Amino acid sequence: MATILVTGSCGGVGSWTVDHFADAGHEVVGVDRRTPPGTRENAAFKAADLTDYGETRQLVEAADPDAVVHLAAIPDPESHAGSRVFENNVVSTYNVLDAAGAVGARIAWASSESLYGTVFAEDDWLPDALPIDEATPTQPEDPYGLSKVVGEEVAARVARRYGVSAVSLRASWVTYPGSGETRTAREAFDPETAEPSGNCWSYVDVRDLVAAVEAAIAPDAPEPPIEGHEAVLVVAAENFLGRDTAAAIEAVRGELPDDCDLAGDESVFDCSKAKRLLGWEPAHSWREAEDADIPGPSFL
């Protein structure tokens, strides 16, 4: 069994990630700003300031993990000072990934579709072509999206410097089984009055994102799935509106890119690279997830 260090272990994605790998029998070290109130078999929890390189390096070296999953971040540039979002995310990503590389750990970390720039742009816009893939230019205006662009450069640097595998997972809005958030958003949607959606109503089920993490670090395989650094999109196959994607975009925005190749309710994000490199495909849809009765992590 592998030792896996997970940052942001008290957050939504982080706690589900800890649960998944602990259930599989791996030894998990969860790191966050605080330790959780509960305990978890196969998991130990540590508190640290990941913007402090000394603390971060000490924890990583002490754990000596086979893989590091970096999920800690400030995800919302609208509720925090922009400089705080950028500094926290970039510095913590550098510290965690550099420490991981120094001990030879495989790396997966949470990038974001926000790096394309459409989510938090001041003036609503679309890329020149749909669907969006990893070759689409990144043009962020906000500190969060920019922090993810820089974070991917950090991941690429660490992979070069230390010869480790590093995967940047470009996830969309993360949803949770039984939460009903997609239902609320869908039922409130009216193309006549709806605000433009920066990610065009895309999402990813937390279970699929955790599966992408597992595919990226391959803890049970003797070799990682990739060499060096790769960025891959990990998004659900369809939008959560249950509507034709191109028609919804055109109704809300009044236009579509001249180059638009979308069919039905498929997502605007093309995840074929994740399938090709990692063997990953989304397995969950809002259609079953909205009413799913699946308890979340019990240690929180």
Side-chain angles (χ1 to χ4, degrees):
M1 292 290 104
T3 298
I4 302 170
L5 186 144
V6 179
T7 71
S9 55
C10 290
V13 179
S15 59
W16 280 73
T17 302
V18 168
D19 253 11
H20 174 79
F21 287 118
D23 276 343
H26 298 291
E27 292 299 320
V28 181
V29 179
V31 180
D32 213 312
R33 291 175 296 176
R34 59 178 176 85
T35 56
T39 59
R40 178 67 166 85
E41 185 179 6
N42 296 333
F45 296 97
K46 308 290 183 180
D49 176 3
L50 296 176
T51 65
D52 183 303
Y53 185 79
E55 286 190 36
T56 305
R57 184 69 178 258
Q58 286 180 33
L59 281 177
V60 173
E61 287 185 345
D64 192 22
D66 300 290
V68 169
V69 181
H70 178 47
L71 304 173
I74 297 176
D76 182 2
E78 298 177 326
S79 300
H80 303 270
S83 58
R84 182 184 179 208
V85 172
F86 181 80
E87 181 178 14
N88 176 85
N89 292 358
V90 170
V91 173
S92 62
T93 298
Y94 175 85
N95 290 349
V96 172
L97 270 55
D98 186 73
V103 299
R106 303 176 189 184
I107 295 168
W109 81 284
S111 186
S112 170
E113 99 282 32
S114 295
L115 53 61
Y116 293 108
T118 61
V119 177
F120 298 108
E122 186 70 23
D123 296 315
D124 181 53
W125 62 279
L126 281 169
D128 294 333
L130 292 175
I132 295 166
D133 62 18
E134 292 80 5
T136 300
T138 58
Q139 302 176 21
E141 299 176 8
D142 67 282
Y144 177 69
L146 181 60
S147 76
K148 296 303 183 179
V149 173
V150 176
E152 291 195 1
E153 288 299 318
V154 170
R157 173 260 172 190
V158 167
R160 288 192 299 270
R161 173 67 178 84
Y162 297 107
V164 297
S165 170
V167 180
S168 297
L169 298 169
R170 295 182 180 178
S172 189
W173 176 41
V174 182
T175 60
Y176 298 83
S179 71
E181 290 179 294
T182 50
R183 177 186 289 111
T184 299
R186 183 177 63 259
E187 291 178 349
F189 178 80
D190 180 348
E192 298 296 324
T193 59
E195 292 291 326
S197 168
N199 64 10
C200 300
W201 310 281
S202 70
Y203 71 100
V204 63
D205 188 289
V206 68
R207 294 166 292 179
D208 284 332
L209 181 49
V210 173
V213 169
E214 182 169 31
I217 63 172
D220 296 316
E223 298 294 333
I226 67 161
E227 294 183 2
H229 170 256
E230 294 287 350
V232 295
L233 281 159
V234 285
V235 183
E238 71 291 306
N239 68 58
F240 61 78
L241 294 179
R243 294 170 176 258
D244 183 279
T245 305
I249 294 170
E250 187 170 28
V252 173
R253 297 174 183 260
E255 62 178 344
L256 283 170
D258 291 335
D259 185 358
C260 181
D261 184 18
L262 297 172
D265 66 348
E266 74 172 316
S267 171
V268 295
F269 295 102
D270 178 357
C271 296
S272 58
K273 183 179 179 181
K275 180 180 180 181
R276 184 175 73 254
L277 293 185
L278 305 179
W280 178 89
E281 289 184 280
H284 300 282
S285 167
W286 62 266
R287 290 178 171 86
E288 50 86 14
E290 286 182 350
D291 297 316
D293 184 14
I294 300 174
S298 61
F299 59 84
L300 296 178

